[in-house]
Structures are given as structure tokens and as C-alpha cells.
Amino acid sequence: MYRLRCGVAGTLGVLLLAVLAVPAQAAAAAEFSPGSAGLGDPFFPLAGNGGYDVGHYSLVFSYDPATRLFDGTATVTATATQNLSRFDLDLRGFDIDRLTVNGAAAAFTRDGQELVITPSAGLPAGAVFTVVLGYSGIPSVVIDPDESIEGWVPTDDGAFVVGEPQGSPAWFPANDNPRDKATFDFTATVPVGITVMANGVLESQTTAGGRTTFVWRASSPMAPYLATATLGRFDLTQYTLPSGIPAYVAVDPTLPTGNVLRKLPDIVEFYSSIYGPYPFEAVGAVVDDAPDVGYSLETQTKPVFYRMPDEATLAHELSHQWYGDSVTLTEWPQMWLHEGFATWSEWIWSEHLGHKSAHQWFNTLYNTPAQNTAFWTPPPGDPGSPPYLFNGTIYYRGAMTLQALREKIGDGAFFQILRRWAVENRYGNVTTPQFVALAEQVSGRQLDHFFDVWLYQPDKPTSW
Ligand SMILES: [Zn+2]
């Protein structure tokens, strides 16, 4: 994400949830128990749900920008990871007209973003089950702890659809946690003239009766927050990269044209050369006019931009395909693993072009006086509270951490670390301690003090 907003003054306390004791149950039912309502993320404790793992989402829907009415059927295929008597999906708003589990009607209740589903029979651990949900209504806009907006955001001609960190349940029932990646397909029907840009490869586009149906398939594992179906009037260009990957570039025709999008193949090729092979089945960009959103996001295979991006922003979001989308954090407070890497990626692209080097970018920022605590605090490894999740320090000081590491251990070890981090954790979830361990292993250096100073101490680093 390229957000870089100032931290919001004041503290929105993390909602702490009391864990309800599971009541004693009759012996016959005691082997089955409810899945948890959340996965305990420190910032978003209700995001995601326990007791199952989603394998695939099939999202079929129609949307009319004029009425803003969304009418969908979601089919979620999952595997129970415990004997489940009950489980949750995350969904915000909508009327539900049909809900089945394995073809049988299931009881449900709503509690905030929790859709609590009780199937007609318990689901044994290891069993694959299918949830079909018919739902309709006007999708919601979600306001984040830092007061920015996400979810399904209406635009002049459609919607800008972004879900980091908690917007996806605004348009589909999800296990909305970065740890539960799944494949997706999207079948979206809109008035003719509107283009739907979802993740993955465009399988078909057919028009009948004044409406066009787009079918997109995302065949690589994807965290729910990276899903999109941004739609509106777009000029869509399709081509193939030299590596054979299909590219889809959609631009709102009301925007001023520019040359920046022509850089996309070179940027992808450059990052592939240093980070390892491009991880997904498609690439591209969706350039919309969404001034109310005010940030861009690395939606998987096709980042979305709220305006025509500059070259640094295009490079930033494309680098996230490796660091963020393919290699994904485990818990939201470790956001520097995404934003520090993507910001440093802007610098190395600049250096590659013979422009300002990463060392020079580092020096410029390092000249910021220690007294400017808003620049240095909170430290990137510990944002402290949700309003600081996208604070400038996560980006800038996170990127400086990587450049400082590069200069401490040398280019040979440093670039080997970056590549191994991307290749060995492809489609996985990672933690900061894992990165520290890899850096120590590859460099043969003891780096506890280095990472403590750069990632966790609130003051400006002075010796490392
Ligand atoms: Zn970013």
C-alpha cells in the first residue's frame, strides 16, 4: 500500500475480547465444538476465524453502479481443522437469502462482522465442506483505525475495491486473515460498457442483453485482503511479458495519459532478477480515479491505483507482489515486512536506473534530527496500536533498516537474503524473527543488536 498518512493523534484502544467459556455439552456432542470467532491478531482480533482452512472462493455476482446494488452467490470450499459444531465467516452487511453447508440449509446468526453458521450436522476434522451463500444489498465502505477508507468504495463510474487490512468482508464472506490463503474465481456481471478488473487471468468476457460478464481466475494462493473486483469505465490493454506472463493494464479514460505504465515490464523483469521469479500467473495495473480513497494497493496480480501513479509508486506496488502478496506477514503489527521492503524496492529501482541510490535515499532520511520524534517513532517492528499500522516509520525506517543491513553485511549476503526470503517463503506467511534468523544464517553474523536498534528502539538509531 502506498498510503503514508500521518499518524492519527490519540489512541483507539484495541478492542479486547473476553473469551467465552465453552459450556459443558452433552456427551454425544462434546466431540464437536465451535470454531473461534477470530484468530487473535493483536490489532484485529476478530479478523479470520478458527476451525477451518479455506481452499477456494468462487464469487458470482452482479453489480449496477447506478443503484449500487450487489447481488451475489459465494461458494466457499474449506477443510475443517477440528471437529466443528459451528463456525464463523466474516461478512459486513447484506441480506442473506440462502445459506447451505454441504447442500443442506444451515442456521445462522449475525453479530457485527461475524456470520455465525451452524450446519445441520457436525463437520469432522479433515473433512472438506462447501458453504453456499446467497446475499444482496449495497456493499459497505469500511473506516479504518487511521480514518482511511476501504472495502467497496463507489466511484463516479463503478467501485474501487480494496481490502487491506479489513475491507474484504464488505463484499464477500471471508476467512479474513492473511494466514488463510486460497485460490479464487470471480464471475461478475455489469452493465455493458463497464469493465471488471479482478485478480488473476481473464478467462472470458461475454455480452448479452445489455450486460457483460467477466470471468477471472486467480490460481495462486491469495490472502483475502488482496482480492479486488475494481470496476468502472476502463481502457483495457492486454499483452504478454517476455517471460510469458499475461499482463492486464486498465486505465480510467478520464485520466491524463502518461508514459509511466510502459515501465511495468522492465520493473517486473528487474525485480525478478534480484528477488527471484515473478510469483503469480498474471500481472498488471488498474488505474482508477478514486480521490476519496487517496492510496494505492498491491491487490494480487494487479495493483490498483487511485490516480495515475508516478514511477516510484508503480514500482512500490509491483514489488509487493513478492513482499506482501507472495510472502505475507503472519500478524498485522509486522507490517514493515511489507512496507519496508516495498519502499526499499523503490530505492533499488532508482539506483538501478542510475538515479538516486539506495545509499543516498538512506542518507537523506538519516539526516532527519533525532528531535523529530514523529519521523523516528513508533519503530517499524512495533507500531504499537492500529492507527499507526501505516505510519511513515513503517515505510521509511523499515526501508532504512534494510539499507543499513545491506551496508553492514555487504551486497553479496544481502541480495542472497532477499532472494531466499522470497523463494523459500513463496505463498507463505512469515515473521520478523524468521527474517532475522535468515539474515544471521546467510551473513554468518550476530545481528540481534542491529535489528533491536533498527526495529524496536523508539529513538533514532546512532550505532548498530
Ligand atoms: Zn506498500
Side-chain angles (χ1 to χ4, degrees):
M1 179 183 290
Y2 207 87
R3 180 174 278 173
L4 285 184
R5 297 183 167 219
C6 297
V8 176
T11 304
L12 301 179
V14 179
L15 185 63
L16 295 175
L17 296 156
V19 177
L20 299 174
V22 177
Q25 299 183 357
E31 294 175 14
F32 288 77
S33 57
S36 63
L39 290 175
D41 185 89
F43 284 0
F44 302 97
L46 280 179
N49 307 284
Y52 64 94
D53 184 83
V54 176
H56 187 75
Y57 296 88
S58 182
L59 308 178
V60 179
F61 61 89
S62 63
Y63 183 72
D64 183 347
T67 61
R68 297 185 178 176
L69 188 62
F70 181 110
D71 190 354
T73 300
T75 302
V76 182
T77 306
T79 302
T81 56
Q82 68 181 63
N83 288 337
L84 273 178
S85 60
R86 197 182 80 196
F87 62 94
D88 291 11
L89 283 164
D90 300 311
L91 183 69
R92 298 171 182 270
F94 293 109
D95 295 323
I96 294 174
D97 58 38
R98 181 162 76 108
L99 204 173
T100 64
V101 177
N102 291 336
F108 65 90
T109 59
R110 311 290 301 271
D111 182 9
Q113 74 175 55
E114 300 299 313
L115 169 59
V116 183
I117 301 169
T118 304
S120 59
L123 303 168
V128 175
F129 63 97
T130 302
V131 182
V132 177
L133 180 78
Y135 61 116
S136 61
I138 295 178
S140 49
V141 174
V142 179
I143 299 175
D144 282 335
D146 67 0
E147 299 181 357
S148 55
I149 57 173
E150 59 166 324
W152 187 281
V153 183
T155 58
D156 290 347
D157 55 9
F160 192 80
V161 182
V162 285
E164 189 184 39
Q166 53 174 351
S168 293
W171 63 288
F172 66 93
N175 190 29
D176 189 26
N177 189 284
R179 284 149 57 182
D180 191 1
K181 299 188 179 189
T183 53
F184 285 69
D185 64 68
F186 309 84
T187 302
T189 300
V190 289
V192 68
I194 300 296
T195 297
V196 183
M197 296 297 296
N199 312 85
V201 169
L202 182 59
E203 301 247 297
S204 67
Q205 175 183 341
T206 51
T207 297
R211 304 206 305 168
T212 304
T213 298
F214 293 83
V215 178
W216 293 91
R217 181 172 296 275
S219 55
S220 303
M222 179 165 79
Y225 81 90
L226 294 168
T228 190
T230 292
L231 57 98
R233 296 193 182 279
F234 288 114
D235 292 333
L236 174 59
T237 304
Q238 300 183 43
Y239 58 92
T240 304
L241 297 189
S243 58
I245 296 167
Y248 304 88
V249 176
V251 180
D252 186 320
T254 65
L255 293 172
T257 55
N259 291 324
V260 67
L261 295 169
R262 294 180 191 171
K263 303 285 183 67
L264 187 148
D266 287 347
I267 294 171
V268 172
E269 182 184 18
F270 172 65
Y271 289 145
S272 301
S273 75
I274 58 173
Y275 299 154
Y278 180 77
F280 301 123
E281 66 279 358
V283 72
V286 181
V287 182
D288 204 352
D289 180 20
D292 293 346
V293 176
Y295 63 84
S296 302
L297 185 67
E298 63 269 24
T299 40
Q300 191 158 306
T301 68
K302 287 173 209 73
V304 291
F305 300 90
Y306 76 100
R307 63 180 179 186
M308 184 62 71
D310 60 19
E311 190 168 323
T313 304
L314 179 63
H316 177 108
E317 305 302 351
L318 290 170
S319 75
H320 271 310
Q321 304 302 310
W322 285 263
Y323 304 119
D325 294 10
S326 173
V327 181
T328 307
L329 51 71
T330 302
E331 292 187 334
W332 287 112
Q334 300 188 8
M335 180 62 88
W336 87 277
L337 292 169
H338 296 188
E339 300 305 347
F341 281 63
T343 303
W344 186 84
S345 294
E346 298 173 38
W347 300 353
I348 196 66
W349 172 246
S350 167
E351 179 175 317
H352 170 70
L353 294 176
H355 302 154
K356 189 169 178 175
S357 70
H359 177 73
Q360 289 169 322
W361 279 107
F362 176 96
N363 279 350
T364 300
L365 296 177
Y366 191 75
N367 286 334
T368 307
Q371 290 78 4
N372 186 350
T373 54
F375 178 82
W376 296 105
T377 305
D382 183 12
S385 61
Y388 291 92
L389 184 59
F390 298 102
N391 194 61
T393 53
I394 312 304
Y395 292 71
Y396 291 133
R397 202 173 144 176
M400 294 173 77
T401 301
L402 290 177
Q403 181 61 22
L405 176 66
R406 179 187 179 189
E407 296 182 15
K408 185 176 182 71
I409 65 176
D411 274 8
F414 178 75
F415 283 96
Q416 192 184 339
I417 290 165
L418 289 186
R419 191 180 184 95
R420 284 186 56 180
W421 187 243
V423 171
E424 294 175 9
N425 296 300
R426 184 181 245 214
Y427 308 146
N429 295 91
V430 293
T431 65
T432 300
Q434 287 175 324
F435 183 74
V436 173
L438 179 64
E440 291 188 337
Q441 182 197 340
V442 172
S443 69
R445 303 277 288 271
Q446 168 58 250
L447 296 169
D448 285 355
H449 174 72
F450 171 88
F451 282 110
D452 181 59
V453 165
W454 271 101
L455 291 179
Y456 298 110
Q457 294 305 316
D459 299 328
K460 176 179 178 176
T462 53
S463 69
W464 54 90

